[in-house]
């Protein structure tokens, strides 16, 4: 009982911190003013001319059409995008010898996976509205990625070369080593270089241009999403409420089980 109570208390702490993160996200969304690209250019001009480029770091949010002069190419699908996440994992099976709770020796086969490579890339892009366009630097942003390709390659009988974009990997034969390779899984998530987007960030100066970027001193997060501000706010509010309820319930149950086990 004590162990179960401690597990519930740990779960309560985890739920609390996730709930607070969503609550802070909701606060950022509600507290930040909405701008057009023309307003961003006017703000940039006024601040830079009076106070200098280093003084410009104003939280802002904007919605518009995405475009990119030099888009990235996703490593699996080959789609052009402003950002992608890629991972390659090796899936395997292995024979394990252990002892069960009654002291009996047993032999079983278990499966697992290990990450061979993971990477995340992003590129500068434009946000366009009816008034013009402005640069966006997505570095360190929270990007709502869209599902891309997810493929499972069977393990080769002989060593072969796997190619994904610029990445090249020599896959060993499936029966090499203690673990038997059953396959390789390549996964891709991306944010394409078209369509509308909502952006929360800080307008700064980058080589004389107003640029929306992440600034940890002014804003806790930068968000790039296909969702609208209302959709993001509703989602954050719902998650925050439910996680706080979960934290409270887990804490109460954890205390009860812990005390019960100690009696």
């Amino acid at each position: 009982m004590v162990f179960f109570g401690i597990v519930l208390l740990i779960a309560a702490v985890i739920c609390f911190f996730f709930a607070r993160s969503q609550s802070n996200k909701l606060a950022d969304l509600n507290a930040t003013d909405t701008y057009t690209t023309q307003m961003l250019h006017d703000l940039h001009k006024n601040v830079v001319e009076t106070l200098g480029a280093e003084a410009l770091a104003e939280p802002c949010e904007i919605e518009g059409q995405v475009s990119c002069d030099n888009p990235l190419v996703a490593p699996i699908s080959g789609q052009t995008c402003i950002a992608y996440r890629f991972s390659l994992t090796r899936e395997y099976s292995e024979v394990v010898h252990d002892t069960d709770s009654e002291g009996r020796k047993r032999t079983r086969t278990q499966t697992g996976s290990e990450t061979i490579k993971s990477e995340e890339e992003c590129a500068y892009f434009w946000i366009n509205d009816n008034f013009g366009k402005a640069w966006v630097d997505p570095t360190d942003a929270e990007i709502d990625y869209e599902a891309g390709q997810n493929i499972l390659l069977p393990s080769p009988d002989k060593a072969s070369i796997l190619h994904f974009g610029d990445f090249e990997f020599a896959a060993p034969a499936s029966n090499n080593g203690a673990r038997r390779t059953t396959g390789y899984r390549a996964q891709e998530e991306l944010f394409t270089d078209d369509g509308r987007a909502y952006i929360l960030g800080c307008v700064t100066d980058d080589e004389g241009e107003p640029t929306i970027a992440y600034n940890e001193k002014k804003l806790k997060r930068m968000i790039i999403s296909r969702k609208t501000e209302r959709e993001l706010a509703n989602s954050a509010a719902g998650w925050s409420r439910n996680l706080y309820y979960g934290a409270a319930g887990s804490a109460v149950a954890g205390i009860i089980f812990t005390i019960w086990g100690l009696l």
Side-chain angles (χ1 to χ4, degrees), residues 178-195:
R179 293 175 173 175
R180 180 180 179 277
T181 301
T182 57
Y184 295 89
R185 182 172 298 278
Q187 294 178 290
E188 171 190 278
E189 296 174 291
L190 65 160
F191 199 100
T192 56
D193 58 329
D194 57 6

Side-chain angles (χ1 to χ4, degrees), residues 128-198:
N128 306 267
D129 59 16
N130 294 330
F131 302 92
K133 61 182 182 179
W135 273 115
V136 180
D137 176 4
T139 306
D140 297 324
E142 296 178 10
I143 301 175
D144 283 345
Y145 283 101
E146 305 152 86
Q149 296 289 319
N150 183 340
I151 59 175
L152 178 63
L153 305 173
S155 179
D157 294 328
K158 297 181 179 180
S160 62
I161 303 297
L162 303 179
H163 293 275
F164 294 103
D166 295 331
F167 176 59
E168 182 178 285
F169 171 70
S174 62
N175 57 354
N176 287 350
R179 293 175 173 175
R180 180 180 179 277
T181 301
T182 57
Y184 295 89
R185 182 172 298 278
Q187 294 178 290
E188 171 190 278
E189 296 174 291
L190 65 160
F191 199 100
T192 56
D193 58 329
D194 57 6
R196 295 187 64 80
Y198 166 86

Side-chain angles (χ1 to χ4, degrees), residues 233-243:
N234 289 341
S235 176
W239 275 108
S240 177
R241 179 179 62 253
N242 294 335
L243 286 168

Side-chain angles (χ1 to χ4, degrees), residues 70-206:
N70 298 292
L72 302 172
V73 177
I76 303 177
S77 64
Q79 283 186 269
T80 56
C81 57
I82 62 168
Y84 70 80
R85 280 196 303 217
F86 166 76
S87 66
L88 179 65
T89 59
R90 179 173 77 97
E91 299 188 352
Y92 61 83
S93 64
E94 61 181 339
V95 177
V96 177
H97 305 280
D98 58 16
T99 304
D100 63 19
S101 58
E102 297 179 358
R104 293 175 299 191
K105 293 184 178 180
R106 61 180 182 177
T107 300
R108 58 190 177 86
T109 301
Q110 71 176 18
T111 60
S113 64
E114 61 179 355
T115 301
I116 297 173
K117 180 180 177 63
S118 64
E119 66 178 14
E120 184 171 8
E121 297 288 341
C122 59
Y124 273 61
F125 64 94
W126 297 102
I127 187 75
N128 306 267
D129 59 16
N130 294 330
F131 302 92
K133 61 182 182 179
W135 273 115
V136 180
D137 176 4
T139 306
D140 297 324
E142 296 178 10
I143 301 175
D144 283 345
Y145 283 101
E146 305 152 86
Q149 296 289 319
N150 183 340
I151 59 175
L152 178 63
L153 305 173
S155 179
D157 294 328
K158 297 181 179 180
S160 62
I161 303 297
L162 303 179
H163 293 275
F164 294 103
D166 295 331
F167 176 59
E168 182 178 285
F169 171 70
S174 62
N175 57 354
N176 287 350
R179 293 175 173 175
R180 180 180 179 277
T181 301
T182 57
Y184 295 89
R185 182 172 298 278
Q187 294 178 290
E188 171 190 278
E189 296 174 291
L190 65 160
F191 199 100
T192 56
D193 58 329
D194 57 6
R196 295 187 64 80
Y198 166 86
I199 300 172
L200 172 72
C202 284
V203 56
T204 60
D205 176 84
D206 188 346

